[in-house]
Amino acid sequence: MPSYILNDGYGLSQILPLFIHLYRRAFYMIKRVNFQYTEDITVVNREQFEVHIRLYDGYVNKINEIDGILQNKPGREEANATFSFYRECKRGETFALNGVILHELYFENLGGGGGMNTPNPSVTEQIEMDFGSYALWKEDFVATAKASRGWAILIYDQRSYRLRNISLDSHDLGNIAYSAPILVLDVYEHAYFLQYADKKTEYINRFMEDINWEVVGQRMGIY
Ligand SMILES: [Fe+2]
């Protein structure tokens, strides 16, 4: 080992992680998923879907913009919980990143209208165990969606080993730590208003007929 590497305690084991970190900072960006409208998607029409995709693209752009700003440590010394630029960056970071993730989960679990709209036995079993029956789960999920301003999500709560229907009023408000999203429904007005206007319940009911249970089953299989 060359002596200069050992000087001051900076050996290869210290330099390599720093090099990898700087490389990742320079080249890592979140890439958009190229979602396409198909005939299997029955809950929304193409126009509503494509408007929504443009909004998703905006979140991808914003999280990359915020990540870029945070790399330069903007105003850490002035960080303040009442108001500061750093606070705005950190609030934007979780809002934009959750916006990306939740939209991807939502678009992925659409399209059951094409023939996959039946939960597999393992999903049904878990739902029955935690809610009593599929009908009772559905009743609660629909009510959760009606009561939410942002998202209704069926999660697997890894702390208490059970499914829950949870309500989020925004991308970064209402998530439960240790929870794994299984089924995601966007109930922001932008998700349906172009097509359904104020008929939110009709949108929710049609979503329930368009769930891609194959995707939901794959997510359940992880936990
Ligand atoms: Fe949305």
Side-chain angles (χ1 to χ4, degrees):
M1 179 76 67
S3 60
Y4 67 85
I5 289 184
L6 295 173
N7 287 345
D8 302 325
Y10 288 101
L12 190 61
S13 62
Q14 282 81 36
I15 291 171
L16 191 60
L18 181 62
F19 177 79
I20 292 170
H21 169 68
L22 292 172
Y23 178 85
R24 290 181 64 193
R25 268 186 29 172
F27 296 103
Y28 178 77
M29 289 182 75
I30 288 178
K31 294 178 179 60
R32 71 184 292 275
V33 177
N34 188 24
F35 292 104
Q36 298 291 329
Y37 188 77
T38 69
E39 289 180 358
D40 289 340
I41 297 173
T42 57
V43 58
V44 288
N45 60 28
R46 183 182 293 274
E47 189 182 10
Q48 175 67 73
F49 181 86
E50 290 180 351
V51 165
H52 206 171
I53 289 291
R54 287 206 293 276
L55 193 113
Y56 157 71
D57 287 344
Y59 288 124
V60 173
N61 293 338
K62 275 296 170 192
I63 186 59
N64 284 322
E65 181 184 337
I66 293 165
D67 280 347
I69 291 169
L70 284 171
Q71 284 177 16
N72 298 320
K73 312 180 187 74
R76 279 185 183 171
E77 291 76 19
E78 291 81 36
N80 181 283
T82 302
F83 173 76
S84 62
F85 184 69
Y86 208 72
R87 173 179 166 78
E88 293 309 306
C89 288
K90 299 309 285 184
R91 298 307 317 136
E93 181 184 24
T94 49
F95 187 85
L97 185 54
N98 266 346
V100 170
I101 294 167
L102 290 172
H103 278 101
E104 289 175 353
L105 291 166
Y106 166 71
F107 291 130
E108 281 169 5
N109 64 213
L110 298 181
M116 291 177 286
N117 198 19
T118 312
N120 69 27
S122 67
V123 175
T124 304
E125 189 180 327
Q126 190 71 45
I127 284 175
E128 287 174 351
M129 207 149 54
D130 293 328
F131 292 91
S133 70
Y134 176 84
L136 286 170
W137 164 76
K138 183 177 175 182
E139 188 179 294
D140 185 63
F141 188 82
V142 168
T144 302
K146 287 180 185 175
S148 301
R149 298 171 186 166
W151 301 91
I153 308 178
L154 170 66
I155 57 136
Y156 184 71
D157 167 10
Q158 298 177 87
R159 177 64 182 82
S160 45
Y161 308 106
R162 53 161 286 195
L163 296 168
R164 295 177 191 270
N165 291 325
I166 66 166
S167 163
L168 276 65
D169 275 347
S170 75
H171 306 326
D172 59 347
L173 186 62
N175 266 313
I176 294 173
Y178 268 136
S179 76
I182 305 297
L183 172 67
V184 175
L185 168 56
D186 191 339
V187 288
Y188 273 97
E189 288 170 353
H190 67 243
Y192 63 87
F193 218 81
L194 184 66
Q195 181 178 349
Y196 291 90
D198 58 347
K199 296 184 177 66
K200 180 180 180 180
T201 300
E202 188 181 332
Y203 162 70
I204 294 167
N205 289 338
R206 285 189 63 181
F207 171 83
M208 300 308 291
E209 302 302 317
D210 195 29
I211 296 169
N212 189 329
W213 285 106
E214 190 175 316
V215 168
V216 174
Q218 288 164 2
R219 290 174 187 163
M220 274 292 293
I222 299 170
Y223 304 100

